[in-house]
Amino acid sequence: MTSNAVIFDMDRTLVDNMDYHRKSWYTFYKKYKTHINKECFKRNTPGTMKEILSAYFKHPLSSNDITNLSEEKEGLYRALYADHLKPISGLTSFLQVLNSKNVPIALATMGQKPNIDSILDGLHIRHYFDIILGAEDIEKGKPNPEIFLKASDQVQPDKCLVIEDSFSGILAGKRANMNVIGITTSHSSEHLLNKGASTTIDTYSIKYQRTILNLLQID
């Protein structure tokens, strides 16, 4: 399958930030006296914030509850991560390469707008992205393919190459009929391949840039 556009996830794909998300979730749930452990965290974290919060809280949440709790949790995360922000190795140079070759670039993340802003503006990479989509732009989170299909608005889905770290993201990409590369910030290469990734990368170093450009059929 060849591709001519690239769609990036954000968390653990542009930046390796999950430790800070995890710490903020633990702090958040400790405050609300809601039990959480490592396996529970893995199982219930994928999806929109509404889907995640509904999985933990045992009583119905109003739209206002969801908004307020989401803002509180993500504020904790941004405060924890602010002094540690950095791109995954080679990311900026790879974005420059894609841009120089006129490859359309999209961001499709379950992160909310303030988180997106903190990453893209903090790393000064916003201008590389032709399309930016976050949690507010969709109804259903990954593994539903909605966000990837929206990101491919100007490109046929089967011409898109997705870069993802998570099992739910890989599944969403495959359901959108897209070629998916797994990045090993969360899972081993073996596990990512078993979940449907066509190949894997560890970083965006020159070695792995060549891997991606070969899938794009770009010299």
Side-chain angles (χ1 to χ4, degrees):
M1 182 184 293
T2 60
S3 308
N4 57 16
V6 179
I7 304 176
F8 288 86
D9 179 38
M10 184 174 73
D11 294 332
R12 298 170 294 186
T13 303
L14 302 184
V15 293
D16 193 0
N17 58 347
M18 187 46 61
D19 282 347
Y20 301 93
H21 268 301
R22 186 179 295 109
K23 289 175 183 176
S24 67
W25 276 117
Y26 289 165
T27 300
F28 175 81
Y29 283 119
K30 184 177 180 180
K31 173 182 175 181
Y32 288 99
K33 297 181 173 59
T34 302
H35 177 69
I36 182 173
N37 56 38
K38 186 176 181 180
E39 288 307 312
C40 186
F41 178 84
K42 283 184 178 180
R43 185 171 61 253
N44 292 326
T45 299
T48 64
M49 188 61 75
K50 179 180 179 180
E51 291 168 334
I52 295 169
L53 290 171
S54 296
Y56 285 116
F57 284 86
K58 304 305 180 184
H59 57 83
L61 297 171
S62 67
S63 296
N64 193 51
D65 290 334
I66 296 289
T67 297
N68 292 335
L69 290 169
S70 298
E71 289 177 353
E72 180 180 353
K73 184 274 162 187
E74 298 300 358
L76 288 170
Y77 152 72
R78 290 192 298 275
L80 285 169
Y81 189 51
D83 292 336
H84 305 277
L85 175 63
K86 65 178 182 179
I88 289 175
S89 178
L91 172 69
T92 303
S93 67
F94 181 51
L95 292 172
Q96 291 170 348
V97 168
L98 292 176
N99 183 254
S100 71
K101 296 179 181 298
N102 298 313
V103 176
I105 306 172
L107 181 69
T109 173
M110 299 313 304
Q112 297 180 331
K113 187 177 185 302
N115 291 2
I116 295 171
D117 292 344
S118 69
I119 299 296
L120 298 187
D121 296 334
L123 297 179
H124 308 291
I125 59 173
R126 179 183 293 274
H127 60 287
Y128 291 114
F129 292 87
D130 302 288
I131 298 172
I132 298 170
L133 295 175
E136 296 90 342
D137 299 304
I138 59 168
E139 294 294 327
K140 297 180 180 180
K142 302 170 188 176
N144 187 285
E146 178 186 1
I147 195 166
F148 288 136
L149 292 172
K150 283 193 174 183
S152 67
D153 183 50
Q154 298 176 17
V155 182
Q156 293 179 11
D158 62 0
K159 297 299 182 183
C160 291
L161 177 66
V162 170
I163 303 180
E164 263 283 0
D165 70 287
S166 69
F167 294 158
S168 62
I170 290 173
L171 182 56
K174 300 299 287 185
R175 287 175 172 173
N177 195 32
M178 296 177 180
N179 199 2
V180 184
I181 289 179
I183 186 166
T184 60
T185 48
S186 302
H187 304 284
S188 70
S189 177
E190 179 182 5
H191 286 154
L192 294 169
L193 292 170
N194 285 340
K195 291 296 182 178
S198 61
T199 190
T200 63
I201 60 174
D202 296 334
T203 66
Y204 299 99
S205 66
I206 296 298
K207 169 186 173 182
Y208 294 115
Q209 287 184 27
R210 292 195 187 104
T211 297
I212 300 169
L213 292 175
N214 284 338
L215 287 174
L216 292 166
Q217 293 197 334
I218 294 174
D219 295 327

